[in-house]
Amino acid sequence: MLPKLLPVRTRPKPGESLSSWLARTAYENGIYLQTFCHLVWYRKPIWNRDTDRTGDFEILRHLASLTATSPTQALQTIIRHYEGIVFRHYLVSGTQRHVTSLGVYHRTRRGYGQTYCPLCLLEEGYFKLKWRFSFITACSRHDQRLWDRCWQCGTPICIHRGKWMHCDACQADLRHAPHLKRDSRAVELQKRLEGALENKLFWDVPVRTSLDFFDLIHDCTRALGTRYERNKAFRTAICELAGGSPDWIFPTEYYPQMETMECLYRHQLMAFAARILANWPWTFIACATRADFSTGYIFRDWKPTSSEFRRVAETFLAYKT
Ligand SMILES: [Zn+2]
Ligand SMILES: [Zn+2]
């Protein structure tokens, strides 16, 4: 039996994710995590789903009560908290726009959706919820690209398995992961998006709310898709006109969802997006024209969600299919 209040009342740290808070609570109280979950939520499925995303209220309620945490603080550890800020509607299943996919397989993970900054882990000692957003691909504080796997053996990260902050497959300490190079413009754009997460808007594009901004980011990355030759020409034009490396690679010639991409590819997409959003919409129009984009071509198999993106595409690019 557990006491009503745990000896160490582990409250969520600023921006901490639920899975990190839960695992850290067991760790700091010296209880094996699976035992702790078994004692508090007997037989409740916890780790065979995306805990940060589902944000089960029963888990939140008990964990908050055991650690004397306020409900408001507890609710900030889950993805659902960002409904109306990052995405319009929270989805129970399927891909949630802007949220990375973990590839949950029983109690393990097959996808690379859980990212981390080794220096943040070292200095602050927990996993941040924002590392689960697909547009967060770098640490703006430590100026490096995020890791999305064990730096030693390449296994996807399972916060809940093995030793706290270690790889459960090879025991490597995640805090010792080497530095990864980043694209400075991708980081600049990310800083603005981090501001939007807190409802601070200061980007030089005409968006009224954070949702409009995140929709615009989605449409930009969608237009950078890889399925057709002209999308490649579009990316080449960006490199020629706005800088960047034509060697940046993409995983497949078909358009993959950003939410399921590895962090490296998401970072490269963000680097391209940062360039077309600079001097908006002029860089975008120049690159799209050079790649022979037309409105009909861009929207041939998807519909934009951002009214600003649609306005620019329909106003400045010829409409032909
Ligand atoms: Zn960091
Ligand atoms: Zn490993």
Side-chain angles (χ1 to χ4, degrees):
M1 277 291 287
L2 284 172
K4 275 194 170 174
L5 274 174
L6 290 171
V8 181
R9 290 163 205 174
T10 315
R11 300 201 178 97
K13 295 194 176 175
E16 185 168 18
S17 70
L18 173 59
S19 51
S20 172
W21 177 31
L22 187 47
R24 197 166 57 80
T25 301
Y27 170 71
E28 290 185 3
N29 280 279
I31 315 170
Y32 180 57
L33 178 60
Q34 308 309 336
T35 311
F36 175 67
C37 293
H38 183 75
L39 285 172
V40 185
W41 302 278
Y42 181 65
R43 290 202 164 176
K44 186 172 182 60
I46 297 177
W47 301 113
N48 55 358
R49 51 204 65 203
D50 184 343
T51 320
D52 296 332
R53 187 174 151 187
T54 50
D56 191 302
F57 290 152
E58 199 187 324
I59 298 177
L60 282 179
R61 184 164 59 88
H62 281 114
L63 191 56
S65 130
L66 283 164
T67 56
T69 300
S70 74
T72 315
Q73 217 183 343
L75 284 166
Q76 286 170 1
T77 64
I78 59 172
I79 294 288
R80 199 185 299 198
H81 174 70
Y82 288 92
E83 185 174 35
I85 299 171
V86 173
F87 44 83
R88 290 178 191 276
H89 304 290
Y90 168 76
L91 301 177
V92 178
S93 58
T95 304
Q96 178 81 61
R97 183 181 285 189
H98 297 303
V99 177
T100 61
S101 164
L102 295 180
V104 174
Y105 182 72
H106 300 296
R107 289 156 75 100
T108 62
R109 307 289 179 253
R110 288 179 164 175
Y112 296 103
Q114 178 63 64
T115 55
Y116 64 98
C117 164
L119 292 178
C120 281
L121 288 185
L122 188 67
E123 290 167 16
E124 298 173 68
Y126 63 97
F127 290 81
K128 298 180 181 182
L129 184 62
K130 70 176 179 184
W131 291 340
R132 290 295 315 281
F133 289 123
S134 55
F135 50 81
I136 301 287
T137 59
C139 176
S140 47
R141 187 161 154 241
H142 295 110
D143 208 22
Q144 59 178 330
R145 184 154 54 80
L146 298 177
W147 277 89
D148 64 356
R149 62 198 69 197
C150 166
W151 58 277
Q152 196 163 266
C153 75
T155 305
I157 302 303
C158 281
I159 293 179
H160 60 286
R161 285 165 70 99
K163 208 171 149 196
W164 175 235
M165 290 208 275
H166 286 67
C167 167
D168 66 301
C170 75
Q171 318 308 323
D173 190 330
L174 302 179
R175 292 164 289 193
H176 296 162
H179 182 273
L180 289 176
K181 276 205 272 183
R182 89 294 179 251
D183 177 85
S184 60
R185 295 179 68 177
V187 176
E188 272 315 303
L189 172 60
Q190 185 183 301
K191 282 182 186 165
R192 288 170 159 82
L193 294 168
E194 284 170 334
L197 283 177
E198 293 166 17
N199 263 322
K200 289 181 215 147
L201 288 173
F202 46 88
W203 181 248
D204 53 354
V205 286
V207 288
R208 284 175 296 117
T209 64
S210 63
L211 270 179
D212 292 340
F213 194 8
F214 288 114
D215 281 350
L216 180 62
I217 293 293
H218 172 268
D219 289 353
C220 285
T221 55
R222 189 72 177 80
L224 286 158
T226 60
R227 190 170 171 176
Y228 303 100
E229 263 311 296
R230 264 187 276 177
N231 286 94
K232 206 172 151 196
F234 182 44
R235 296 197 300 272
T236 306
I238 295 170
C239 292
E240 287 167 1
L241 297 180
S245 167
D247 297 333
W248 283 340
I249 42 164
F250 280 83
T252 160
E253 61 186 280
Y254 292 99
Y255 179 78
Q257 286 177 302
M258 190 168 170
E259 291 79 3
T260 59
M261 281 184 182
E262 296 175 23
C263 192
L264 171 64
Y265 301 135
R266 288 192 279 115
H267 188 68
Q268 291 170 348
L269 262 187
M270 290 297 290
F272 279 122
R275 283 156 175 81
I276 56 176
L277 281 166
N279 298 314
W280 177 262
W282 302 106
T283 314
F284 170 74
I285 294 163
C287 297
T289 307
R290 194 168 173 126
D292 200 21
F293 264 19
S294 64
T295 316
Y297 177 77
I298 297 185
F299 299 147
R300 68 201 171 282
D301 52 8
W302 63 288
K303 293 277 169 280
T305 41
S306 156
S307 53
E308 173 59 17
F309 191 89
R310 179 193 288 273
R311 182 189 72 80
V312 167
E314 291 184 349
T315 311
F316 295 101
L317 307 176
Y319 205 104
K320 56 179 191 257
T321 50

